[in-house]
Amino acid sequence: MKKILLIMVLISTTAFANEGQELHEESCVACHRVQHDDAFYMRDDRKMSDFPALRTQVSMCANVVGAGWFPEEEKTVLDYLNKQHYKFK
């Protein structure tokens, strides 16, 4: 039973990570990769200094582009960006 639960947790965690990346690529990359180079998120003069600032920015950007994300989807993008690029605690 414990093995089944562990497998389910790992699968759901992977699914959420993939969803965050997919949503990011669908809605965010047009602005953040076409107009900027690949190092956009980690440049020295980046605006994100902590996790709350990142959360606010993701929410604002989602509203501006009309992404229509549910709160859970917004969180998956936030978690993806933090894990992939920012690594805030």
Side-chain angles (χ1 to χ4, degrees):
M1 183 68 174
K2 288 181 183 179
K3 286 183 182 181
I4 292 172
L5 289 174
L6 179 60
I7 291 170
M8 290 175 64
V9 167
L10 290 173
I11 289 171
S12 67
T13 302
T14 302
F16 283 126
N18 291 339
E19 180 184 15
Q21 182 177 5
E22 290 172 11
L23 290 169
H24 175 261
E25 289 174 4
E26 289 172 10
S27 299
C28 307
V29 170
C31 293
H32 292 287
R33 291 279 168 87
V34 173
Q35 297 175 4
H36 307 286
D37 65 6
D38 289 338
F40 175 78
Y41 293 106
M42 296 307 297
R43 67 191 189 277
D44 289 336
D45 66 338
R46 70 183 185 181
K47 295 178 183 176
M48 298 305 106
S49 58
D50 55 27
F51 191 79
L54 179 59
R55 182 183 327 121
T56 299
Q57 188 67 39
V58 168
S59 183
M60 185 185 70
C61 286
N63 288 327
V64 167
V65 301
W69 294 338
F70 291 106
E72 299 82 16
E73 292 172 315
E74 194 171 297
K75 183 167 179 353
T76 63
V77 173
L78 174 63
D79 291 343
Y80 163 73
L81 287 172
N82 192 48
K83 182 178 179 183
Q84 187 69 26
H85 299 289
Y86 295 103
K87 298 171 180 36
F88 294 130
K89 295 182 187 222

